[in-house]
């Protein structure tokens, strides 16, 4: 799986740019705020229809433009694909794969998978539940089209229910709509829990091995998926999970009416990371936390490989400069196989990599 050619127009600080990439290693270097990360962001967007840096598509369009376009020539599953996306201010985006309209982001993920790793991810363990939940969602949306559809629907239901609860004081009649929303949220929420639990189990397997290797066998990493308390077995049947979500909603109904907030559902899911039996977020050192975060990202890459039969495109955004030499060596040894993109301020850090292609970025212009 690889992206052979990328064309961006009006995207972030790029006016018009076309790049052809090496099939193995691509190093993108330059000073800060020149546009290195923007190129990786474009590749992520082509793979899943979402940006890892913003929720608003409008922020992806250059300040002096009303439209941005992305075009990727991709080789995946033994076939050639061309994915094109047009973002327009105030209008719905347009997405096509080989000239055929893509109805949703899942159709983009059918073509290309990416694993994006940035310096902020080194503190994934220390952050709140939202960061780890987003980590799961981004990966699962590429791996399972059904999950992406369920997640989008759940978000819509959650927003509608929140508005109903918020406005119910002035318009009590709105509460008559709640049973329908609650029932559908239970059904869709069960899909999310079903997929997340299994993803975390796979993540535990690969990340545990990676962390043990990086720590020289001195540390053991374990993960535990955490969801709604009434869900006793997230690996159980969908019908059983749905019923347990109903039970949780019923018990929280008075509190939801009183607070006018949606208090029940998998929108607060998390996974607990432990190292040698200790909660990594609270008790582990900075070095242990960084190693755990590295292990999670490398494990995610292996999960994608197992799901589609080939490595996803690996995007490392200025990560090596944040790591000590031992961890740099560990990452570079682990990313062999598949196509890799690495951004950095100084390209002399990467003399251990195999030959590839070098791009220098300056003021939104790329020079090979």
């Amino acid at each position: 799986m690889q992206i052979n050619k990328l064309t961006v127009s009006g995207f972030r600080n790029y006016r018009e740019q076309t790049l052809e990439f090496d099939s193995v290693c691509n190093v993108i270097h330059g000073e800060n705020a020149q546009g290195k990360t923007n190129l990786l962001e474009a590749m992520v967007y082509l793979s899943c229809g979402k940006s890892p840096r913003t929720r608003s598509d409008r922020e992806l369009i250059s300040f002096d433009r009303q439209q941005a376009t992305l075009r990727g020539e991709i080789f995946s599953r033994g076939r050639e694909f061309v994915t094109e996306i047009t973002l327009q201010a105030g209008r719905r985006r347009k997405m096509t794969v080989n000239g055929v309209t893509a109805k949703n982001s899942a159709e983009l993920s059918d073509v290309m998978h990416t694993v994006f790793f940035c310096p902020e991810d080194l503190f994934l363990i220390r952050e709140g539940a939202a960061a780890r939940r987003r980590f799961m969602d981004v990966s699962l949306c590429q791996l399972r089209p059904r999950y992406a559809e369920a997640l989008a629907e759940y978000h819509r239901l959650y927003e509608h229910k929140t508005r109903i609860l918020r406005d119910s004081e002035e318009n009590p009649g709105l509460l008559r709509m709640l049973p329908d929303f609650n029932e559908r949220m239970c059904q869709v929420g069960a899909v999310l829990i079903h997929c997340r639990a299994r993803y975390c189990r796979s993540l535990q397997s690969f990340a545990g091995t990676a962390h043990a290797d990086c720590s020289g066998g001195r540390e053991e990493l374990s993960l535990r998926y955490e969801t709604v308390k009434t869900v006793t077995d997230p690996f159980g049947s969908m019908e059983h999970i749905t019923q347990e979500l109903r039970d949780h909603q019923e018990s929280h109904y008075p509190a939801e009416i009183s607070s006018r907030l949606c208090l029940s559902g998998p929108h607060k899911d998390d996974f607990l990371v432990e190292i040698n039996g200790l909660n990594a977020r609270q008790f582990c050192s900075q070095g242990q936390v960084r190693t755990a975060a590295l292990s999670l990202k490398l494990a995610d890459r292996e999960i994608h490989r197992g799901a589609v039969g080939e490595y996803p495109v690996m995007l490392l955004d200025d990560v090596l400069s944040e790591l000590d030499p031992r961890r740099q060596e560990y990452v570079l040894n682990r990313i062999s196989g598949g196509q890799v993109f690495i951004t950095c301020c100084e390209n002399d850090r990467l003399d251990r990599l195999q030959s590839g292609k070098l791009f220098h970025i300056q003021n939104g212009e790329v020079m090979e």
Side-chain angles (χ1 to χ4, degrees), residues 127-362:
E127 293 187 48
R132 289 179 292 280
R133 191 165 55 250
R134 185 168 57 250
F135 171 76
M136 289 191 289
D137 288 345
V138 168
S139 185
L140 279 166
C141 281
Q142 295 184 74
L143 290 167
R144 297 180 178 270
R146 185 188 179 195
Y147 182 89
E149 294 171 4
L151 183 65
E153 182 178 359
Y154 188 87
H155 285 162
R156 289 194 298 270
L157 292 166
Y158 175 83
E159 290 171 2
H160 284 303
K161 179 177 177 178
T162 300
R163 285 199 294 269
I164 289 171
L165 291 169
R166 183 191 63 201
D167 299 339
S168 61
E169 184 176 26
E170 296 180 2
N171 188 357
L174 290 172
L175 293 178
R176 290 193 296 269
M177 302 168 63
L178 271 187
D180 290 337
F181 278 97
N182 283 341
E183 177 59 23
R184 187 56 185 161
M185 286 182 76
C186 288
Q187 295 170 354
V188 178
V191 175
L192 303 186
I193 292 171
H194 174 88
C195 293
R196 285 171 176 172
R198 284 156 179 77
Y199 175 77
C200 281
R201 182 167 60 185
S202 296
L203 199 66
Q204 151 77 49
S205 175
F206 288 111
T209 300
H211 190 91
D213 290 346
C214 187
S215 64
R218 295 186 300 274
E219 297 173 0
E220 180 180 353
L221 179 146
S222 62
L223 304 179
R224 186 173 73 247
Y225 173 56
E226 297 182 330
T227 186
V228 177
K229 291 183 179 179
T230 54
V231 177
T232 56
D233 181 14
F235 298 98
S237 68
M238 301 280 275
E239 293 78 9
H240 189 63
I241 296 173
T242 300
Q243 183 56 52
E244 290 179 324
L245 289 175
R246 290 192 192 104
D247 296 339
H248 194 265
Q249 278 190 344
E250 289 175 9
S251 67
H252 282 69
Y253 181 78
E256 288 188 334
I257 298 300
S258 175
S259 64
R260 301 189 190 89
L261 296 172
C262 182
L263 303 176
S264 177
H267 51 274
K268 293 186 178 181
D269 282 3
D270 194 3
F271 60 84
L272 177 67
V273 181
E274 293 181 332
I275 299 175
N276 292 340
L278 298 176
N279 187 323
R281 185 182 182 190
Q282 295 177 313
F283 301 109
C284 292
S285 70
Q286 199 77 298
Q288 289 175 313
V289 166
R290 288 185 175 220
T291 301
L294 280 172
S295 301
L296 291 179
K297 283 291 182 174
L298 293 170
D300 188 39
R301 183 175 185 247
E302 294 298 329
I303 290 172
H304 281 260
R305 183 197 183 193
V308 299
E310 51 188 333
Y311 277 116
V313 177
M314 187 75 175
L315 308 171
L316 302 176
D317 183 26
D318 203 24
V319 172
L320 297 182
S321 62
E322 298 289 329
L323 301 175
D324 59 47
R326 181 175 62 83
R327 291 189 179 88
Q328 285 185 18
E329 191 71 34
Y330 173 71
V331 172
L332 293 175
N333 288 336
R334 278 283 188 158
I335 60 175
S336 59
Q339 188 182 37
V340 179
F341 291 82
I342 302 176
T343 69
C344 60
C345 292
E346 298 294 338
N347 65 317
D348 57 0
R349 295 177 183 272
L350 305 171
D351 54 356
R352 288 160 290 176
L353 288 172
Q354 297 177 357
S355 60
K357 217 165 187 179
L358 182 67
F359 301 89
H360 179 239
I361 304 283
Q362 187 173 5

Side-chain angles (χ1 to χ4, degrees), residues 97-113:
V97 176
N98 287 347
V100 179
T101 299
K103 297 178 182 179
N104 51 45
S105 300
E107 295 188 22
L108 303 181
S109 298
D110 284 342
V111 175
M112 181 172 73
H113 290 201

